[in-house]
Amino acid sequence: MELSPIGLVRSHLRLRSDMPVQGVEAEIEVFPDYAEALSGVEENSHLILICWLHEADRAVLKAVARKVSRDLPEKGVFSLRSPERPNPLSVSVVRLRGVREGRFLELENVDVIDGTPVVDIKPYQTGWDCVFSATGHDRTEKIEKMGPGEYREGLIREAVNYHGELCPGVAVAVRVAEAATRILGRDLRHPLVSVTLGADPCIADALIGITGARLGNHRLGCSGTDRYVFACPGEEVVFHLRTVPESVDAVFACSEAVLFDCEICR
């Protein structure tokens, strides 16, 4: 097996320990010999970036998701997204912001450090690469150990990945989801959590993206009003929407009481 790098990551981050979970803006320098292979790449909003994690420990078979908390249970690396693994390939979906000089890709959500060798680049195709119905482990314990800023960033990414942009309605949905998580004390993607959506289409999109609720898994309903409801066995949280501020910054700056009233039924 022989791999030849086709480019390098150019980033302001040089230490793995400085990398946030959601990644950063960075650039891929594609080597001149491979520049022709980029023809047509600008037609895609997102790409699959495959890199070789050159600083990884290839002897590690079990690890902890230490970016979240070192107190989490140890798992096999094939059930984690740890950089330490026998063949340290990084596979991530990144947003393409532009192409410069025919061979420099300007990207968002890049989670590898400066100088990382790039092995391959592929177009991300929703119909093939997105499995919205996919399920995973219960993240409740992980969420409990996250800082509020880190959890918010994760919610924003899940919401934007489904809705397409960070607008004020999406920001309100993130604030609602933060409150629902705090009150219910569990991962909103848990199969026992059902969601009833209100009338705002942006908030509805965002909450579907965050919760994974669908009509087909019997977790999704619609009130058609200003009510947004999260329910699990023995508990229900009802949010009555009060206002949607005109900017995302305003949504995140104001108190929850400005955005919605909350009713808890047990």
Side-chain angles (χ1 to χ4, degrees):
M1 185 180 295
E2 184 175 329
L3 297 176
S4 298
I6 56 93
L8 293 173
V9 174
R10 300 302 185 193
S11 172
H12 68 280
L13 287 185
R14 292 171 171 77
L15 297 176
R16 293 164 55 192
S17 58
D18 293 338
M19 181 64 66
V21 173
Q22 302 301 322
V24 296
E25 292 183 4
E27 192 171 75
I28 301 300
E29 176 190 355
V30 175
F31 298 146
D33 287 350
Y34 301 103
E36 267 188 72
L38 291 175
S39 175
V41 75
E42 68 280 356
E43 298 170 9
N44 301 279
S45 66
H46 291 73
L47 302 171
I48 299 173
L49 182 65
I50 304 173
C51 296
W52 183 262
L53 303 178
H54 57 300
E55 294 188 2
D57 184 345
R58 301 183 65 177
V60 174
L61 298 181
K62 298 185 76 174
V64 171
R66 63 179 184 273
K67 280 286 185 181
V68 177
S69 173
R70 294 183 180 275
D71 295 333
L72 289 169
E74 189 177 58
K75 292 185 176 182
V77 294
F78 296 155
S79 66
L80 293 171
R81 299 176 71 93
S82 169
E84 323 289 0
R85 50 205 318 114
N87 290 311
L89 286 167
S90 167
V91 181
S92 57
V93 177
V94 295
R95 180 186 290 271
L96 177 61
R97 301 176 61 208
V99 182
R100 183 171 60 81
E101 298 176 25
R103 64 183 187 92
F104 293 88
L105 303 182
E106 299 171 344
L107 306 173
E108 295 178 1
N109 305 124
V110 179
D111 62 355
V112 289
I113 61 173
D114 183 66
T116 299
V118 179
V119 175
D120 201 4
I121 299 166
K122 298 176 183 287
Y124 177 86
Q125 297 180 339
T126 304
W128 287 93
D129 299 319
C130 176
V131 185
F132 184 72
S133 61
T135 59
H137 67 282
D138 183 355
R139 304 175 303 172
T140 300
E141 183 179 5
K142 182 183 293 187
I143 290 169
E144 289 173 351
K145 296 181 183 298
M146 286 183 178
E150 185 180 9
Y151 184 51
R152 175 174 289 181
E153 285 299 315
L155 293 176
I156 291 172
R157 184 163 180 177
E158 290 175 341
V160 171
N161 281 351
Y162 190 86
H163 181 64
E165 64 174 336
L166 178 55
C167 63
V170 167
V172 169
V174 168
R175 296 295 303 274
V176 168
E178 288 174 330
T181 302
R182 183 178 67 246
I183 295 166
L184 295 178
R186 67 170 63 198
D187 181 4
L188 298 182
R189 285 185 172 267
H190 194 284
L192 292 179
V193 176
S194 63
V195 185
T196 301
L197 302 175
D200 187 293
C202 297
I203 297 176
D205 265 3
L207 290 179
I208 291 173
I210 287 170
T211 64
R214 296 174 287 113
L215 293 174
N217 62 12
H218 308 292
R219 295 180 52 216
L220 185 65
C222 183
S223 71
T225 67
D226 64 349
R227 296 173 73 253
Y228 296 81
V229 184
F230 293 77
C232 60
E235 192 166 23
E236 182 178 87
V237 187
V238 182
F239 296 92
H240 297 275
L241 187 65
R242 301 189 67 181
T243 185
V244 178
E246 293 185 357
S247 73
V248 170
D249 289 342
V251 173
F252 288 131
C254 69
S255 67
E256 290 181 352
V258 171
L259 300 173
F260 49 77
D261 295 320
C262 179
E263 178 185 354
I264 303 172
C265 306
R266 293 187 170 95

